[in-house]
């Protein structure tokens, strides 16, 4: 099994797409998350290993660039390339390509390994935990944020259907929330160009937070989710001109 590269092909399902038959950012992130899990399972980084070593990978930040819409019924190939940790951050670069090799979208995700008992970041994995990722990053996207004076737009909740086995809101659903709070006439008429998300703290199942939004350009927005003084995440979404 190649630890440096792994790919899977699939046909985009209608339920992964929006009203314009375009694959949503959240659906792309769910596919990217799944291929990461599939590769780790094949390499021996299974749930049993995480449970035994009291560890977990948590997503710290990501950026997605959208080069062309991905359509329902389209046959595509997802390829992922994990890299060795840099100052305790494990990078993973994932591309979504058309059958002719054209890159339709790219995801740069940055992960940290934590001790689930102490919540401390681990700069080295436990001795009995295999860690096969040794290659330098093949590509990195801009994960920085453009911020603005955000105002409240909604109250959001980590409902049952938004949560995963860790019993907190799955990181891909923040992309859905962001897209749902861009003005409808904008997101229906313009394709996605870029999404960046920084994750600060988990939202436990059943908990709520306030979503704030600021416009950063004609087709750009900044979002932040807070619970009082506690910040859960920040994000930028940019649409095409």
């Amino acid at each position: 099994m190649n630890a440096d590269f792994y790919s899977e092909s699939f046909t985009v399902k209608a339920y992964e797409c929006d009203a314009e038959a375009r694959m949503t950012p959240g659906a792309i992130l769910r596919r990217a998350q799944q291929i990461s899990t599939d590769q780790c399972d094949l390499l021996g980084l299974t749930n049993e290993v995480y449970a035994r070593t009291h560890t977990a990978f948590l997503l710290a930040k990501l950026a997605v660039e959208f080069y062309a819409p991905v359509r329902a019924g389209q046959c595509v190939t997802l390829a992922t390339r994990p890299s060795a940790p840099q100052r305790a951050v494990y990078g993973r670069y994932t591309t979504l390509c058309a059958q002719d090799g054209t890159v339709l979208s790219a995801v740069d995700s940055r992960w940290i390994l934590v001790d689930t008992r102490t919540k401390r970041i681990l700069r080295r994995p436990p001795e009995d935990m295999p860690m096969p990722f040794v290659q330098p990053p093949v590509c990195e996207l801009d994960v920085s944020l453009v911020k603005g004076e955000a105002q409240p737009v909604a109250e959001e909740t980590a409902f049952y259907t938004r949560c995963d086995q860790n019993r907190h809101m799955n990181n891909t659903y923040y992309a859905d929330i962001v897209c749902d709070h861009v003005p409808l006439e904008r997101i229906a008429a313009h394709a996605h160009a870029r999404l960046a998300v920084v994750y600060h703290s988990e939202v436990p199942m059943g908990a709520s937070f306030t979503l704030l939004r600021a416009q950063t350009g004609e087709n750009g927005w900044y979002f932040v989710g807070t619970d009082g003084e506690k910040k859960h995440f920040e994000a930028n979404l940019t649409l095409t001109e």
Side-chain angles (χ1 to χ4, degrees):
M1 175 65 189
N2 188 349
D4 306 329
F5 175 87
Y6 181 67
S7 67
E8 296 175 351
S9 296
F10 65 94
T11 299
V12 179
K13 307 301 183 185
Y15 61 75
E16 298 179 291
C17 298
D18 61 15
E20 307 300 322
R22 303 171 302 199
M23 195 173 185
T24 66
I28 290 173
L29 290 178
R30 282 185 273 280
R31 287 283 189 174
Q33 186 179 79
Q34 187 59 53
I35 194 174
S36 303
T37 301
D38 292 346
Q39 185 192 30
C40 285
D41 285 344
L42 291 170
L43 292 170
L45 286 172
T46 62
N47 286 335
E48 289 74 19
V49 171
Y50 296 132
R52 187 185 73 244
T53 58
H54 304 286
T55 57
F57 276 109
L58 299 181
L59 187 56
K61 60 181 65 176
L62 63 79
V64 191
E65 292 184 357
F66 309 89
Y67 309 119
V70 185
R71 300 290 184 181
Q74 190 171 359
C75 295
V76 296
T77 297
L78 199 62
T80 189
R81 299 167 177 83
S83 55
Q86 297 179 305
R87 298 187 298 276
V89 178
Y90 294 77
R92 183 177 282 271
Y93 183 71
T94 304
T95 54
L96 189 65
C97 297
Q99 287 185 301
D100 64 1
T102 301
V103 179
L104 304 172
S105 185
V107 181
D108 180 356
S109 55
R110 315 284 176 88
W111 300 80
I112 54 174
L113 185 67
V114 299
D115 185 314
T116 55
R117 297 166 296 184
T118 64
K119 305 299 182 182
R120 295 177 63 87
I121 297 173
L122 299 175
R123 293 192 171 274
R124 296 181 181 83
E127 290 186 2
D128 58 342
M129 183 181 193
M131 191 56 66
F133 309 132
V134 297
Q135 294 297 319
V138 294
C139 187
E140 293 182 329
L141 304 180
D142 178 11
V143 295
S144 64
L145 295 176
V146 177
K147 302 185 181 184
E149 293 295 327
Q151 300 299 320
V153 290
E155 291 293 319
E156 293 290 339
T157 300
F159 293 116
Y160 170 79
T161 56
R162 290 175 166 179
C163 296
D164 56 29
Q165 63 186 7
N166 295 314
R167 303 186 72 80
H168 58 71
M169 190 176 328
N170 183 271
N171 61 72
T172 66
Y173 284 95
Y174 294 98
D176 295 336
I177 290 171
V178 166
C179 289
D180 284 342
H181 289 92
V182 169
L184 184 58
E185 68 277 6
R186 294 279 187 161
I187 203 162
H190 299 269
H192 308 103
R194 177 179 180 268
L195 171 70
V197 186
V198 175
Y199 301 90
H200 294 292
S201 61
E202 302 164 350
V203 182
M205 184 185 295
S208 298
F209 62 90
T210 301
L211 182 70
L212 299 91
R213 181 187 70 193
Q215 193 155 358
T216 57
E218 185 172 352
N219 279 330
W221 291 267
Y222 165 72
F223 292 89
V224 57
T226 65
D227 178 11
E229 295 298 317
K230 188 175 186 179
K231 191 178 292 183
H232 289 295
F233 82 103
E234 296 175 274
N236 277 153
L237 179 65
T238 307
L239 306 179
T240 57
E241 296 295 329

